[in-house]
Structures are given as C-alpha cells and as structure tokens.
Amino acid sequence: MKEYRNEHVIVHWFPELCAHPGTCLRLLPKVFNLDQRPWVNVEGAEPEEIIRAIDKCPSGALRYSLPEGSKVDAQIANGVGSIDFEKSYPSAVKIKVSANGPLLIEGPTVVIGLDGKPLKEGSRIALCRCGLSENRPFCDGVHRKKGWKPD
C-alpha cells in the first residue's frame, strides 16, 4: 500500500487490487495522472472532491482516511472508499473462488447486465471465471468439459 497525504486527506493506494478501469483518471485528472510522479497529487482538488472520486473506485484499490485535525466533515468521509468502511458495515455477501471452477456468490445479490438492468437476483449465484460459459456471466459447467484448470 502507498499513501499520499496532505493536512486534510490521506489517499491509500493498493496497487495489487487495481483493475485499471481508469475511473479515477476520468473523474479527477488533476489528482490522478499517470504521466506525473507521484501519480496521485492530493493538492490537485479539494479533499471532498477526492473523497467523492475514490468512493466511485470499482476495485477498492483507492481508499481514503482523514488525518487528525482535518477540515473535512467526518460524515462526508464515511463512504465505501473509507479505509474503515468494512469495520462499520460488515460484509453481507461472500464470494468464494472455487478450485478450477466458478466464483460462488452467497448472500443477497443482484447481477446487473451491460444494459443496466438486473439479470438475476438471488442469494446463491455461480459466476463464470473461465470465460467459456455459453450463459455468461453465469457458470454452466463447461469449464470441466474443456479442462480449464488455472488453480
């Protein structure tokens, strides 16, 4: 984990979690810029703007916290991007990686399609991990027939 800080916000970056969708780069290019070093410039926007952008990070690779004495209202800094979010909101959904098989989802879940509409709602869902399913994003078991074994 790497930290970038000023007197009002600390940005935590977990590079191993980053899926590189570019959300941060599009939302706040003055803060998140791959052409500059360091690539995170916490002076590039107001801390509240940085917090709102990090709350939209789809992978959770970017997180934030407030240093002691920060001017930021603590209520603004308790979103999904907060470094302490999981302490306040325990997980209701579990995702298990099965050996040589699908991602097994357990807990109240809605799978949203590319069109933004729900594909399936349920508390147990198997998502394709191999990319071979004829019923993507759901697993149809074809990984066994095709001998897919990454694990």
Side-chain angles (χ1 to χ4, degrees), residues 4 9-13 23-24 27-28 31-32 39-40 42 47-65 79-83:
Y4 308 90
V9 67
I10 303 169
V11 174
H12 308 268
W13 181 47
T23 305
C24 57
L27 290 175
L28 276 181
V31 174
F32 304 104
W39 80 279
V40 177
V42 292
E48 294 85 357
E49 291 178 272
I50 295 170
I51 287 167
R52 282 192 296 275
I54 291 174
D55 277 340
K56 293 179 181 163
C57 174
S59 67
L62 287 170
R63 308 301 292 268
Y64 56 79
S65 61
V80 70
S82 167
I83 197 80

Side-chain angles (χ1 to χ4, degrees), residues 24 43 50 54 63 75 79 83 94 96-97 99 127 129 139 147:
C24 57
E43 302 299 334
I50 295 170
I54 291 174
R63 308 301 292 268
Q75 291 299 325
I83 197 80
K94 295 178 184 171
K96 180 181 177 187
V97 178
L127 296 177
R129 193 161 66 107
C139 178

Side-chain angles (χ1 to χ4, degrees), residues 65-84:
S65 61
L66 301 179
E68 193 168 322
S70 174
K71 70 175 185 176
V72 177
D73 180 349
Q75 291 299 325
I76 292 171
N78 67 356
V80 70
S82 167
I83 197 80
D84 295 322

